[in-house]
Amino acid sequence: MTDEHQTLALLLFSGFVAVTLAITTWVSRNRRGSAEEFYAGGRLFSPMENGFAIAGDYMSAASFLGVTGLIALFGYDGLLYVVGFLVAWLVVLFLVAELVRNCGRFTLADVVAARMRERPVRIAAGTSSVTVSVLYLVAQMVGAGSLVALLLGGTSETARAWTVIGVGALMVIYVSLGGMRATTWIQIVKAVLLLGGTIALTVLVLMRFHGDVDRLLLTAAERSGHGQAFLAPGLKYGGDWTARFDFISLGLALVLGTAGLPHILSRFYTVPTARAARRSVVWAVGLIGGFYLMTILLGFGAAAIVGPDAVRGSNAAGNTAVPLLALDLGGGAGSTGGTVLFAIVAAVAFATILAVVAGITLASSASVAHDLYASLRRRRGKPRSEVAVARVAAVGVGVVAIALGLLARDLNVAFLVGLAFAVAASANLPVLLYSLFWSRFTTRGAVWAVYGGLVPALVLVVLSPVVSGSPESLFPSVDFQYFPLQNPGLVSIPLGFLAGWLGTVTSAEVRDEARHAETEVRSLTGAGAA
């Protein structure tokens, strides 16, 4: 890219960083320092504000960069991510949002521990939440590295690595100083910027084809090199039965995983009532639905205007399709319009990454402090405050995410998020649904449900083509691939539910009817909710 691209994009990005750091600084001077303030922003946000924040939290680099790249490279099969990401919110709206807000205080473990023995449940749920958060963070780090590689001409691995480190450092600062209130406002600002940028690009794509969507799709098919097969199922997931099962596995993970994502669940605690939580989801669904409809047009637009070969040449996983599309729509390399539009899109993508990693880091540090530390600390002496531990945990989570982000830098960000969704659906969703709806559920069932989904999901990923055995793997030079699917959800999600059922029916624990009745009334009515 030209010096003008680099300078303008970096200036815009620096402006967003300056604004968000100002928000963080202002919030840090006006906060009360309580756990409720740090974890939940004082529960003072309106449904509309929280809806925009949820949308900002959910519309990640996987959506803006990864999904559009997959559509540009694989056509129809890339749409699976769009459908999965959007349909997942029906599960959240009807089964999770209101009940979680009524039953918990800050984390997933609060919901489960309401009727179980706290220590083992909190350790299990906290471990799972941190694992899911780190996997999700890795995808955002990879997206940041891909953007910088494009911005600097794709030649500087050192610059790419330092960008990942810089993003990690910023997210630690946001969380440590500002807590949930600063994170929420950063997400709201980012959601507005992302939706504005996406609308502008979509309008330009449609103008290029004079509003003729059919012409857009046919041109994309012609340039893809696959003809009409580009617009039909099977280009990525239809080669053989293994690919088809991978398709089913990914679909399950995407549809069921959102309801188990810690950073999404924690957003329901930032509003004052369960009704406000439900209205927040309605706002979020509207915003997210509109966004994903536009990403479909952007993906096919990138295929038609830039071409899959050019997209693949810039980044093999397709993560740079949208910035390349913006460059072309603005007038091409070297033009003023192309430079400006490319810079704006790159800056918006950076803003997307920063806002999402702040939310995920806050959720994971809350799990470490509120669940793991609170359960494992010794009773002797004066314990450190949860908020102080959460700030330290944010640093630790950031370091781990940076290291894994550098390792996985050549994988598609939407694909990496699919793995995080699979782990969330395998470990967090079973224990959450059983706790809310099954009166016989016991402590052993809760612990087994978490580990029975978490461990198989992680083991199957390690033994899959993602890690070894193929040129696209993390370790292409070795081969310990024994599981053929790239996404473990088809196997690990049923195992999580099965383990929870088995742990419950084999448990000698006497069911506490009173605690279950109390939890049921509280979840449905909000009586006694925090």
Side-chain angles (χ1 to χ4, degrees):
M1 296 298 156
T2 63
D3 291 339
E4 288 82 2
H5 288 99
Q6 297 178 22
T7 303
L8 187 54
L10 290 173
L11 283 174
L12 290 171
F13 173 60
S14 300
F16 177 80
V17 171
V19 170
T20 53
L21 286 176
I23 292 172
T24 304
T25 303
W26 177 76
V27 169
S28 67
R29 291 177 177 176
N30 292 277
R31 58 181 169 81
R32 298 190 300 272
S34 65
E36 184 175 69
E37 174 75 20
F38 186 82
Y39 294 142
R43 310 190 200 279
L44 298 175
F45 292 100
S46 69
M48 185 182 75
E49 290 169 345
N50 198 42
F52 269 87
I54 291 172
D57 219 349
Y58 195 69
M59 298 184 300
S60 66
S63 305
F64 193 52
L65 301 178
V67 170
T68 49
L70 286 172
I71 295 174
L73 296 180
F74 300 106
Y76 184 94
D77 278 9
L79 294 178
L80 172 65
Y81 285 88
V82 174
V83 175
F85 284 146
L86 187 54
V87 171
W89 281 97
L90 297 178
V91 179
V92 177
L93 179 61
F94 291 117
L95 293 180
V96 172
E98 190 171 351
L99 304 184
V100 165
R101 173 62 188 84
N102 284 336
C103 287
R105 291 185 66 217
F106 306 126
T107 65
L108 165 69
D110 288 335
V111 179
V112 184
R115 44 178 292 217
M116 311 289 177
R117 285 185 286 119
E118 284 203 31
R119 183 183 170 92
V121 167
R122 286 194 180 276
I123 292 173
T127 301
S128 174
S129 295
V130 172
T131 303
V132 172
S133 298
V134 169
L135 286 173
Y136 209 108
L137 280 172
V138 169
Q140 313 309 314
M141 299 298 188
V142 170
S146 297
L147 268 178
V148 149
L150 177 64
L151 192 63
L152 301 179
T155 57
S156 177
E157 285 294 325
T158 302
R160 196 171 171 181
W162 277 107
T163 300
V164 172
I165 294 171
V167 170
L170 282 171
M171 75 184 189
V172 170
I173 292 171
Y174 292 147
V175 172
S176 300
L177 293 181
M180 179 59 85
R181 188 170 296 186
T183 299
T184 299
W185 283 112
I186 291 169
Q187 288 161 348
I188 292 171
V189 172
K190 167 258 174 148
V192 172
L193 290 175
L194 182 59
L195 287 169
T198 306
I199 291 170
L201 287 178
T202 303
V203 170
L204 290 174
V205 168
L206 291 174
M207 288 175 61
R208 177 70 67 92
F209 291 91
H210 307 290
D212 189 344
V213 177
D214 285 344
R215 185 70 253 166
L216 165 63
L217 296 177
L218 290 173
T219 305
E222 290 169 7
R223 293 205 62 180
S224 70
H226 299 285
Q228 291 299 312
F230 190 72
L231 304 178
L235 194 58
K236 180 175 174 63
Y237 293 109
D240 53 28
W241 280 106
T242 299
R244 294 171 187 175
F245 279 123
D246 228 341
F247 183 90
I248 297 170
S249 185
L250 178 62
L252 279 174
L254 295 180
V255 170
L256 299 178
T258 299
L261 292 176
H263 65 291
I264 296 298
L265 295 175
S266 66
R267 291 238 53 92
F268 300 136
Y269 300 127
T270 64
V271 290
T273 64
R275 183 170 180 267
R278 187 174 64 250
R279 290 174 59 199
S280 297
V281 175
V282 173
W283 271 97
V285 169
L287 296 169
I288 293 167
F291 170 76
Y292 279 121
L293 288 175
M294 291 186 287
T295 61
I296 296 173
L297 291 174
L298 295 183
F300 283 111
I305 297 170
V306 180
D309 291 338
V311 171
R312 195 176 282 108
S314 172
N315 181 272
N319 294 329
T320 55
V322 171
L324 290 174
L325 175 63
L327 182 62
D328 201 299
L329 290 171
S335 67
T336 301
T339 299
V340 171
L341 197 55
F342 172 88
I344 290 173
V345 168
V348 168
F350 271 121
T352 294
I353 291 166
L354 284 177
V356 173
V357 297
I360 302 168
T361 305
L362 179 60
S364 57
S365 62
S367 292
V368 171
H370 187 62
D371 300 327
L372 297 178
Y373 171 74
S375 299
L376 295 174
R377 72 186 180 194
R378 295 183 177 181
R379 300 297 178 182
R380 293 177 298 178
K382 184 179 179 180
R384 298 180 64 180
S385 74
E386 277 190 18
V387 174
V389 174
R391 293 194 175 102
V392 174
V395 178
V397 170
V399 170
V400 173
I402 288 169
L404 292 177
L406 295 174
L407 182 65
R409 61 183 176 271
D410 294 323
L411 297 180
N412 182 277
V413 290
F415 167 74
L416 287 170
V417 164
L419 295 181
F421 273 62
V423 177
S426 303
N428 291 348
L429 186 62
V431 72
L432 182 60
L433 293 184
Y434 278 148
S435 297
L436 291 173
F437 299 109
W438 191 17
S439 62
R440 292 182 55 198
F441 198 44
T442 63
T443 301
R444 177 190 284 182
V447 173
W448 283 25
V450 173
Y451 293 126
L454 177 65
V455 174
L458 295 178
V459 170
L460 291 177
V461 169
V462 171
L463 300 179
S464 74
V466 176
V467 176
S468 70
S470 71
E472 298 81 20
S473 302
L474 292 179
F475 304 105
S477 58
V478 295
D479 186 359
F480 45 87
Q481 173 196 333
Y482 298 101
F483 181 66
L485 305 184
Q486 293 189 331
N487 191 291
L490 186 62
V491 176
S492 59
I493 295 173
L495 284 178
F497 281 98
L498 178 62
W501 172 81
L502 190 61
T504 297
V505 298
T506 60
S507 173
E509 183 178 343
V510 179
R511 181 174 55 172
D512 191 332
E513 296 282 359
R515 290 184 71 181
H516 169 66
E518 179 185 344
T519 302
E520 187 175 34
V521 171
R522 179 173 167 182
S523 67
L524 295 174
T525 66

Coordinates of all heavy atoms in Angstrom, one line a residue, residues 15-16 76 104 116 130 164 174 213 233 333 348 360 370 372 378 424 451 464 467 529:
G15 N -7.0 8.3 16.1 CA -8.0 9.2 16.6 C -9.0 8.4 17.4 O -9.5 8.8 18.5
F16 N -9.4 7.2 16.9 CA -10.3 6.3 17.6 C -9.7 5.9 19.0 O -10.4 5.9 20.0 CB -10.7 5.1 16.8 CG -11.6 4.1 17.5 CD1 -13.0 4.3 17.6 CD2 -11.1 3.0 18.2 CE1 -13.8 3.5 18.3 CE2 -11.9 2.1 18.9 CZ -13.3 2.4 18.9
Y76 N -21.7 -19.4 -1.7 CA -22.9 -19.8 -0.9 C -22.5 -20.4 0.5 O -23.1 -20.2 1.5 CB -23.7 -20.8 -1.7 CG -25.0 -21.2 -1.0 CD1 -26.2 -20.6 -1.3 CD2 -25.0 -22.3 -0.1 CE1 -27.4 -21.0 -0.7 CE2 -26.2 -22.7 0.5 CZ -27.3 -22.0 0.2 OH -28.5 -22.4 0.9
G104 N -28.6 -14.4 38.0 CA -27.2 -14.1 38.2 C -26.9 -12.7 38.7 O -27.8 -11.9 38.7
M116 N -26.6 -25.0 43.6 CA -25.6 -26.1 43.7 C -24.6 -25.7 44.8 O -24.6 -24.6 45.4 CB -24.9 -26.2 42.4 CG -25.8 -26.3 41.2 SD -26.6 -27.9 41.1 CE -27.6 -27.6 39.6
V130 N -13.2 -18.8 30.9 CA -11.9 -18.2 30.5 C -11.4 -18.9 29.2 O -10.8 -18.2 28.3 CB -10.9 -18.4 31.7 CG1 -9.5 -18.0 31.2 CG2 -11.3 -17.6 32.9
V164 N -0.4 -7.0 17.1 CA -1.1 -7.9 18.1 C -0.8 -7.6 19.5 O -1.7 -7.5 20.4 CB -0.7 -9.4 17.7 CG1 -1.3 -10.3 18.8 CG2 -1.2 -9.8 16.4
Y174 N -8.1 -0.7 28.8 CA -9.5 -0.4 28.8 C -10.2 -1.1 30.0 O -11.0 -0.5 30.8 CB -10.2 -0.9 27.5 CG -9.8 -0.1 26.3 CD1 -9.8 -0.8 25.1 CD2 -9.6 1.2 26.3 CE1 -9.4 -0.1 23.9 CE2 -9.2 1.9 25.1 CZ -9.2 1.2 23.9 OH -8.8 1.9 22.8
V213 N -29.0 -6.8 -8.1 CA -28.3 -7.8 -7.3 C -28.0 -9.1 -8.1 O -27.0 -9.7 -7.9 CB -29.2 -8.2 -6.1 CG1 -28.6 -9.3 -5.3 CG2 -29.4 -6.9 -5.2
P233 N -24.7 -24.7 -2.8 CA -24.0 -25.3 -1.7 C -23.0 -26.3 -2.2 O -23.1 -26.9 -3.2 CB -25.2 -26.1 -1.0 CG -26.4 -25.5 -1.5 CD -26.2 -25.0 -2.8
A333 N -6.1 1.6 -6.3 CA -4.8 2.0 -5.6 C -4.2 3.3 -6.2 O -4.3 3.5 -7.4 CB -3.8 0.9 -5.8
V348 N -12.1 1.5 11.0 CA -13.3 0.9 11.5 C -13.0 -0.5 12.0 O -13.5 -1.0 13.0 CB -14.5 1.0 10.5 CG1 -15.6 0.1 11.0 CG2 -14.9 2.4 10.4
I360 N -14.5 -9.0 25.8 CA -14.2 -10.4 26.1 C -13.2 -10.4 27.3 O -13.3 -11.3 28.2 CB -13.5 -11.1 24.9 CG1 -14.5 -11.0 23.7 CG2 -13.1 -12.5 25.2 CD1 -13.9 -11.4 22.4
H370 N -14.2 -13.4 40.1 CA -15.4 -13.7 40.8 C -15.7 -15.1 41.1 O -16.3 -15.5 42.0 CB -16.6 -13.0 40.0 CG -17.9 -13.1 40.7 ND1 -18.2 -12.5 41.9 CD2 -19.1 -13.7 40.4 CE1 -19.4 -12.7 42.3 NE2 -20.0 -13.4 41.4
L372 N -13.1 -18.1 40.0 CA -11.9 -18.9 40.4 C -11.2 -18.4 41.7 O -11.0 -19.2 42.6 CB -10.9 -18.9 39.2 CG -11.5 -19.6 37.9 CD1 -10.4 -19.5 36.8 CD2 -11.9 -21.0 38.2
R378 N -7.4 -18.9 50.0 CA -7.4 -19.4 51.3 C -8.1 -18.3 52.3 O -8.0 -17.1 52.0 CB -5.9 -19.6 51.8 CG -5.2 -20.7 51.0 CD -3.8 -20.9 51.5 NE -3.2 -22.0 50.8 CZ -2.0 -22.4 51.1 NH1 -1.3 -21.9 52.0 NH2 -1.5 -23.4 50.4
A424 N -18.1 -23.1 23.6 CA -19.1 -22.5 24.4 C -20.4 -23.3 24.4 O -21.1 -23.5 25.5 CB -19.5 -21.1 23.9
Y451 N -17.1 -30.1 32.2 CA -15.9 -30.8 31.8 C -16.2 -31.8 30.7 O -15.3 -32.0 29.8 CB -15.2 -31.4 33.0 CG -14.7 -30.4 34.0 CD1 -15.0 -30.5 35.3 CD2 -13.8 -29.4 33.6 CE1 -14.5 -29.6 36.3 CE2 -13.3 -28.5 34.5 CZ -13.7 -28.6 35.8 OH -13.2 -27.7 36.7
S464 N -7.5 -32.5 15.4 CA -8.1 -32.2 14.1 C -7.2 -31.6 13.1 O -6.0 -31.3 13.4 CB -9.3 -31.2 14.3 OG -8.7 -29.9 14.5
V467 N -4.9 -28.3 13.7 CA -3.6 -28.2 14.4 C -2.5 -28.9 13.6 O -1.3 -28.4 13.5 CB -3.7 -28.8 15.8 CG1 -2.4 -28.8 16.5 CG2 -4.8 -28.0 16.6
A529 N -33.9 -10.6 42.4 CA -32.8 -10.4 41.5 C -31.9 -9.3 42.0 O -32.4 -8.3 42.5 CB -33.3 -10.2 40.1

